[in-house]
Amino acid sequence: MRNYFVYYNDNYVKQSDATLPVLSASTQFGLNVFEGIRIYKEDSYFIFRLEDHLKRLNNSLRLIGFDIEVISNLEFLAIIKKLIILNNLKSDFSVRFTYLINEIDSWSSNKRPTFFIAPLIRKRNSADFYKTMILTKTRRISKLAMNPRVKCGANYINGRYALLEAKSKGADLPILKNKDGFISESSGACIFLVKKGVVITPTLDCDILESITRDTVIKIFLKNKYKIEERPVKEEDLNESDEIFICGSAAEITPIKLINKSDFRIGDLTKFIFNEYQLAITNKSYNDYSWTTKIEI
Ligand code: PMP
C-alpha cells in the first residue's frame, strides 16, 4: 500500500506518521466511529451520497457517546480536494474517515476524538465479478448488546468471526442470521434475494447496518417499478432464491453464488441493478435524487 498523505488531527501527514499511542482507547478497545466512501473518477471526481455518510457518522458519534459536531460537507470537500492534489490521485479511490481517541484512556473515554481522512485505491467492480457465500453459525450482534447501526470498529469483530468461519468452510463471505434466526447481512454488506421476480431484503430491525447502498438499491428498483419486499428473511428464502447479491459502498453490487449451489449464472435483476448502480454513482442517471457531489480540480 502506498504511503499516501492523510488528513490527521488538522494536519496533512504521511500515513506512516499518523500514529496512535499503544494504550489509547482506540488501539486497546476498538473505540472509534468511521465511514468508508468511494470517489469515482470520470471527467471530474464524483463522491457518492456524501451527506448520508456524514449523517450516519454523526449518528454513530452520538450513539457511542461522543457529543461533538461532525465535520461539515464543505470542510470535507476541501480536504478531499487537497488529498487528490497532494497524492496525485487520478483514478477511482475511496476514503476512510474516522473519529478515534489518540490519548491513553479507558473504554469509557469522553476525550475529544481526533479525526482522520485516509485514501485507499479501489477500482469499481467489473460486471463478471462474483463471490461465494455460506450461512455461518456465527450470529449477527444484537441491538440489545452492541447496536449494529453504529458503524464502529469494535462491531467489525463480529464480522471477523463470521468471515473467518466462512473462509474456513471454503466460501469468500459469510451470511449471518440475527439472534432470532432471520437472515441479517454479511460481514460488510447487506443482502438481497430475488425470488420469482420479487426483490427481497431483510428489514432494518433484523440487526443490520443502516446501509446507504441498500437504500440506493431499493430506490432504483422502486423507480423502475420492480416488486420489492422488505421483510424478515428465512433460511428457506435463501435456498429457494433465484438470485442473490450483496451491496455496500465497498462491495457496490456483488453477485453471489451460494457455496452449496452447483448451477450458477449471474441473474437478470442482478445485472440490471449492477448497471443502474454504475450509472447512479457517476451521475449519468438518477440525477433527481442528488446523490453525487462533483469535485472539480
Ligand atoms: N453492513 C455492514 C456490516 C457494513 O459494514 C456495510 C459497509 N458499510 C454495509 C452493511 C453496507 O453499508 P453501506 O451501503 O452504507 O456502505
Side-chain angles (χ1 to χ4, degrees):
M1 199 191 291
R2 263 187 59 189
N3 195 14
Y4 285 119
F5 279 99
V6 303
Y7 176 82
Y8 182 66
N9 213 1
D10 298 330
N11 292 302
Y12 294 89
V13 298
K14 284 284 186 175
Q15 192 186 286
S16 54
D17 295 324
T19 55
L20 284 180
V22 288
L23 284 178
S24 87
S26 295
T27 18
Q28 274 295 287
F29 309 116
L31 179 58
N32 65 52
V33 293
F34 74 102
E35 286 292 323
I37 198 166
R38 284 195 185 240
I39 298 166
Y40 294 98
K41 174 77 170 69
E42 298 275 301
D43 48 337
S44 327
Y45 297 80
F46 292 97
I47 309 190
F48 195 59
R49 301 197 63 167
L50 174 58
E51 261 177 47
D52 298 294
H53 280 275
L54 291 176
K55 228 183 259 171
R56 188 170 63 189
L57 188 59
N58 192 45
N59 287 343
S60 293
L61 277 168
R62 251 136 274 285
L63 285 163
I64 213 167
F66 290 120
D67 187 20
I68 57 154
E69 272 313 300
V70 77
I71 185 170
S72 75
N73 244 345
L74 286 179
E75 282 174 290
F76 188 91
L77 286 174
I79 295 167
I80 295 297
K81 264 191 180 185
K82 182 117 193 214
L83 288 174
I84 291 174
I85 294 164
L86 279 175
N87 291 309
N88 196 23
L89 298 169
K90 298 225 182 287
S91 53
D92 295 351
F93 65 102
S94 65
V95 288
R96 291 259 175 78
F97 44 114
T98 304
Y99 285 93
L100 49 73
I101 300 294
N102 75 352
E103 294 175 61
I104 297 170
D105 208 357
S106 84
W107 56 74
S108 61
S109 178
N110 56 8
K111 297 237 161 76
R112 191 176 174 78
T114 295
F115 183 63
F116 77 72
I117 306 182
L120 296 157
I121 292 304
R122 276 262 167 88
K123 300 254 168 288
R124 60 193 94 169
N125 282 352
S126 61
D128 54 354
F129 176 78
Y130 73 90
K131 292 213 163 185
T132 59
M133 284 179 108
I134 193 164
L135 200 59
T136 56
K137 290 200 170 71
T138 307
R139 296 276 173 116
R140 184 68 177 131
I141 44 176
S142 149
K143 55 183 169 281
L144 300 174
M146 293 275 283
N147 191 342
R149 287 200 189 186
V150 182
K151 195 165 164 69
C152 66
N155 280 5
Y156 280 74
I157 303 305
N158 175 226
R160 176 183 167 85
Y161 286 129
L163 189 54
L164 294 182
E165 184 188 335
K167 284 183 186 294
S168 76
K169 293 173 175 167
D172 297 320
L173 291 170
I175 302 170
L176 291 87
K177 287 181 181 174
N178 72 356
K179 67 171 193 333
D180 302 318
F182 292 107
I183 303 298
S184 178
E185 59 181 342
S186 186
S187 49
C190 282
I191 190 161
F192 282 79
L193 321 175
V194 180
K195 200 170 153 186
K196 299 194 171 75
V198 181
V199 181
I200 302 164
T201 196
T203 44
L204 290 176
D205 63 4
C206 285
D207 297 311
I208 67 173
L209 182 75
E210 209 161 338
S211 153
I212 293 161
T213 321
R214 172 185 179 280
D215 177 73
T216 307
V217 166
I218 290 173
K219 290 196 165 110
I220 292 176
F221 275 124
L222 285 176
K223 177 148 188 149
N224 289 283
K225 309 260 182 285
Y226 283 94
K227 274 195 203 151
I228 178 141
E229 289 178 2
E230 286 179 75
R231 64 164 169 86
V233 175
K234 295 182 178 162
E235 188 173 340
E236 297 92 272
D237 293 313
L238 196 67
N239 292 326
E240 291 164 5
S241 62
D242 306 310
E243 302 179 34
I244 304 175
F245 63 89
I246 54 168
C247 74
S249 304
E252 298 184 312
I253 307 296
T254 303
I256 295 302
K257 172 190 181 301
L258 288 181
I259 196 88
N260 55 339
K261 276 214 170 170
S262 49
D263 54 326
F264 174 73
R265 62 169 191 88
I266 298 174
D268 292 343
L269 289 197
T270 305
K271 282 185 192 155
F272 169 80
I273 193 66
F274 179 94
N275 290 331
E276 295 304 297
Y277 188 72
Q278 291 297 318
L279 297 175
I281 56 184
T282 48
N283 205 36
K284 296 192 185 91
S285 194
Y286 303 98
N287 318 50
D288 40 333
Y289 291 96
S290 306
W291 281 334
T292 55
T293 308
K294 191 170 175 173
I295 307 180
E296 306 272 17
I297 300 288

